[in-house]
Amino acid sequence: MNNMGAGIAITGCGSAAPEAILTNYHLAQMVETSDEWIKTRTGMSNRHIASPTESLSQLSAVAAKNAIAMAGISATDIDLIILATSTPDDMFGSACKVQGLIGATNAVAFDLTAACSGFLFALINATQFIRNGVYRNVLIIGADVLSRWVDWSDRASCVLFGDGAGAAVCQGISDGDRLLSYGMYSNGSQNDSLNLNYQSDCQALVDGIIAQQGTYHPITMNGKEVYRFAVARVPEAIEKAMFHANLTANDIDWLLLHQANQRIMDAVAKRLKIPSEKILSNIAEYGNTSAASIPLALDAAVREGKVKPGDTIAASGFGAGLTWGAAIFQWG
């Protein structure tokens, strides 16, 4: 296709979450904690947990179908699928599986791994393909099943994470551009602040050749460092994006942040001088769903009628890597 100079619009969104809900009261039966302790420090009440019969690919497909339906197109209209995830069903990637499940027979598909920044990075990647005229309809999905990799005996981290998927359809348009600005950042010197590491056992093969055989071990996190990083870097990234879009905080209708911790979201809003009522938050229901958290919150707000066509949204993802980024876009 030849669509040089196209702008981008996000025309549909969708989400999906497992049926099983793990409450704070459930967690209090598992580790030494309480509903009050968790709510006060995180803002979380529930998180959805995938059962043995629910896969990341299935959740992604449901979210994708909902987004495609809202956009008013069919799966065969999709040119590209970008699946942002750190927990694929298959280490070779799950995007192609999703492509098959939704019947997007004309789409190329690939996975993108950037942890909790994944959906935002997928949006920015999709933008390049559309603006360059390569593709017209791009489906981006943020999905994670972090419950697979949680240490359920670690009370500092097990209260945080849940499972889910969210999706959005990005389309090329000729009348302007709804993505007003963006930025992506990484700092590998802080990599050890949040990890899901591979740990190997040695297996001798022949003549002194040793192979690694092992698996990934549960999530480890330095909560204080991640908090400090987020409240410093996220407002800075959003301020830069607003500057490049020639906007001020008064021009922002909604603040859409990775749902890591309600205290982080409140601190970012305060630094940006954005009123707390403009924060889009569903962390109480879903907890931290990594790459899924931004599209889950967006989909809920759109379907509730909170976010309306033309609204200006400041979004930011941040997490393991460490990675972070921001984007300013208009909905619809």
Side-chain angles (χ1 to χ4, degrees):
M1 132 221 187
N2 186 3
N3 193 37
M4 291 300 289
I8 179 177
I10 302 174
T11 58
C13 57
S15 60
E19 289 186 12
I21 296 175
L22 186 70
T23 70
N24 291 347
Y25 296 101
H26 290 141
L27 286 163
Q29 299 172 39
M30 298 163 52
V31 294
E32 187 179 347
T33 190
S34 68
D35 175 62
E36 182 183 4
W37 190 92
I38 297 169
K39 278 183 180 175
T40 301
R41 287 160 179 77
T42 70
M44 300 173 187
S45 297
N46 302 325
R47 62 285 297 145
H48 293 240
I49 304 297
S51 73
T53 60
E54 291 175 306
S55 70
L56 177 121
S57 300
Q58 290 167 339
L59 291 170
S60 298
V62 173
K65 288 177 180 179
N66 291 336
I68 291 168
M70 183 186 287
I73 60 176
S74 68
T76 54
D77 294 319
I78 300 296
D79 303 306
L80 169 66
I81 299 170
I82 305 175
L83 172 60
T85 186
S86 301
T87 55
D89 297 324
D90 183 337
M91 283 299 294
F92 289 153
S94 292
C96 291
K97 177 68 179 247
V98 175
Q99 181 225 29
L101 288 173
I102 67 175
T105 53
N106 296 315
V108 62
F110 64 84
D111 287 36
L112 180 155
T113 302
C116 304
S117 303
F119 184 81
L120 188 79
F121 281 23
L123 170 63
I124 294 168
N125 271 270
T127 298
Q128 313 314 312
F129 287 104
I130 291 173
R131 286 181 176 169
N132 290 337
V134 179
Y135 298 124
R136 184 176 182 82
N137 300 312
V138 181
L139 172 68
I140 56 174
I141 305 167
D144 271 304
V145 182
L146 289 176
S147 62
R148 293 171 175 169
W149 301 107
V150 169
D151 178 353
W152 292 105
S153 67
D154 177 12
R155 70 171 184 165
S157 63
C158 76
V159 302
L160 301 175
F161 300 107
D163 305 333
V169 172
C170 303
Q171 294 189 274
I173 57 172
S174 57
D175 58 332
D177 199 331
R178 309 289 195 270
L179 181 60
L180 306 180
S181 65
Y182 61 82
M184 297 189 294
Y185 310 92
S186 299
N187 182 359
S189 68
Q190 291 184 272
N191 179 260
D192 60 357
S193 296
L194 180 54
N195 301 103
L196 204 174
N197 280 321
Y198 175 83
Q199 295 185 23
S200 65
D201 294 320
C202 295
Q203 181 175 337
L205 301 180
V206 292
D207 298 329
I209 298 174
I210 300 173
Q212 298 183 47
Q213 295 280 292
T215 187
Y216 290 89
H217 283 228
I219 296 166
T220 59
M221 181 176 66
N222 184 328
K224 289 182 180 179
E225 282 302 312
V226 173
Y227 181 91
R228 280 196 285 263
F229 144 73
V231 297
R233 295 303 185 186
V234 171
E236 180 182 81
I238 293 174
E239 286 170 342
K240 285 181 180 179
M242 288 194 299
F243 174 79
H244 290 298
N246 197 27
L247 299 174
T248 69
N250 291 332
D251 299 311
I252 302 301
D253 295 303
W254 302 105
L255 184 62
L256 176 58
L257 304 177
H258 164 49
Q259 310 281 297
N261 185 304
Q262 188 64 48
R263 291 193 301 165
I264 291 176
M265 291 190 278
D266 292 340
V268 170
K270 184 177 181 179
R271 176 167 164 181
L272 292 170
K273 296 181 172 58
I274 292 176
S276 59
E277 58 266 24
K278 290 187 175 183
I279 301 173
L280 295 178
S281 173
N282 60 0
I283 195 170
E285 176 61 23
Y286 295 101
N288 181 343
T289 55
S290 191
S293 76
I294 288 176
L296 272 169
L298 175 64
D299 187 52
V302 169
R303 293 181 188 274
E304 289 167 9
K306 257 187 179 181
V307 172
K308 296 177 173 58
D311 281 1
T312 300
I313 299 172
S316 180
F318 52 91
L322 294 174
T323 61
W324 69 102
I328 311 292
F329 64 90
Q330 292 173 320
W331 168 252

